[in-house]
C-alpha cells in the first residue's frame, strides 16, 4: 500500500464504488486500500458565519458525505464476530493440498452480515498485503480475498 493517493483522489475512487464493483477484484482492492475518509474540521458558530457562500456549501457537502458514510461501528457483536473470524482464518494456514475449514454466517436480513464481513475482509486484505507484499513472485497483484469470498458481494 505504498502507492497511497491524496484524500481528494481517494474520495473520487470511493464515489465510484457500487455493489457490483465489490464483486470484481479491482473494485474490492480499491475499497480495501482506499484512504480513510477525512473528517471535516469542527467549526464554531462564529467560524461558520465567517465562511463565504462557496466555502459554506463545500463545508456542508463534506459534512453530509462524512455523516452518510460513518461506520461500520465496532459493536460488541461485530468485535466478537471479528475475533472468531480471525481465529478461524489464522488456523487455516495449511498448504494448498490440505483441506481448510470454512465459515458460514447466517442471520436475518438487515442485521449487518455483509457490513461486518466486508469490514473484516478489508482488514484481512491489508494485513496480508502488509505481510506478503502487493505482488506475487510472478509479478501479479496479490489478492488475498477472492471475488465472492466474503459476504453477499459476489
Amino acid at each position: 500500500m505504498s502507492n497511497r493517493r491524496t484524500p481528494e483522489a481517494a474520495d473520487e475512487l470511493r464515489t465510484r464504488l457500487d455493489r457490483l464493483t465489490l464483486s470484481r477484484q479491482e473494485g474490492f482492492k480499491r475499497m480495501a486500500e482506499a484512504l480513510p475518509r477525512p473528517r471535516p474540521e469542527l467549526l464554531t458558530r462564529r467560524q461558520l458565519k465567517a465562511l463565504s457562500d462557496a466555502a459554506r456549501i463545500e463545508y456542508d457537502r463534506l459534512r453530509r458525505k462524512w455523516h452518510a458514510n460513518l461506520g461500520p461501528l465496532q459493536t460488541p457483536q461485530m468485535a466478537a464476530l471479528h475475533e472468531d473470524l480471525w481465529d478461524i482464518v489464522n488456523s487455516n494456514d495449511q498448504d494448498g493440498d490440505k483441506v481448510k475449514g470454512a465459515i458460514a454466517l447466517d442471520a436475518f436480513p438487515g442485521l449487518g452480515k455483509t457490513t461486518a464481513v466486508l469490514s473484516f475482509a478489508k482488514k484481512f486484505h491489508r494485513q496480508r498485503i502488509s505481510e506478503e507484499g502487493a505482488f506475487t513472485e510472478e509479478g501479479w497483484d496479490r489478492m488475498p480475498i477472492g471475488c465472492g469470498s466474503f459476504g453477499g458481494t459476489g
Side-chain angles (χ1 to χ4, degrees):
M1 289 186 262
S2 59
N3 60 347
R4 293 282 188 180
R5 294 177 171 84
T6 65
E8 295 79 18
D11 190 46
E12 168 63 23
L13 289 174
R14 265 193 301 274
T15 302
R16 294 188 301 176
L17 290 175
D18 59 25
R19 286 177 181 245
L20 181 60
T21 302
L22 294 179
S23 68
R24 297 190 303 266
Q25 77 178 37
E26 299 86 358
F28 179 84
K29 185 175 181 180
R30 184 181 304 141
M31 182 272 303
E33 296 179 3
L35 291 172
R37 182 176 299 281
R39 183 178 186 165
E41 182 182 355
L42 185 60
L43 300 180
T44 65
R45 288 183 183 165
R46 181 171 288 151
Q47 290 171 314
L48 285 172
K49 287 181 181 182
L51 292 175
S52 68
D53 288 344
R56 179 60 189 256
I57 289 169
E58 177 62 11
Y59 179 73
D60 288 344
R61 183 188 71 79
L62 291 173
R63 284 179 46 84
R64 276 194 315 274
K65 284 222 176 243
W66 171 257
H67 286 105
N69 291 287
L70 285 175
L73 302 176
Q74 188 70 4
T75 63
Q77 294 86 351
M78 186 182 294
L81 172 63
H82 283 193
E83 183 178 341
D84 289 345
L85 290 173
W86 280 118
D87 287 345
I88 294 166
V89 168
N90 287 333
S91 69
N92 267 350
D93 209 8
Q94 299 92 340
D95 293 332
D97 63 333
K98 305 289 190 295
V99 175
K100 296 181 183 198
I103 300 165
L105 185 58
D106 184 37
F108 289 111
L111 295 179
K113 297 178 298 295
T114 299
T115 300
V117 172
L118 281 175
S119 173
F120 176 82
K122 183 176 179 178
K123 292 173 188 173
F124 178 83
H125 175 89
R126 289 179 171 191
Q127 179 199 56
R128 289 302 196 259
I129 295 296
S130 176
E131 289 176 358
E132 301 173 14
F135 301 99
T136 66
E137 291 176 12
E138 297 81 18
W140 295 93
D141 282 343
R142 184 174 308 284
M143 289 302 300
I145 305 295
C147 293
S149 297
F150 285 93
T153 60

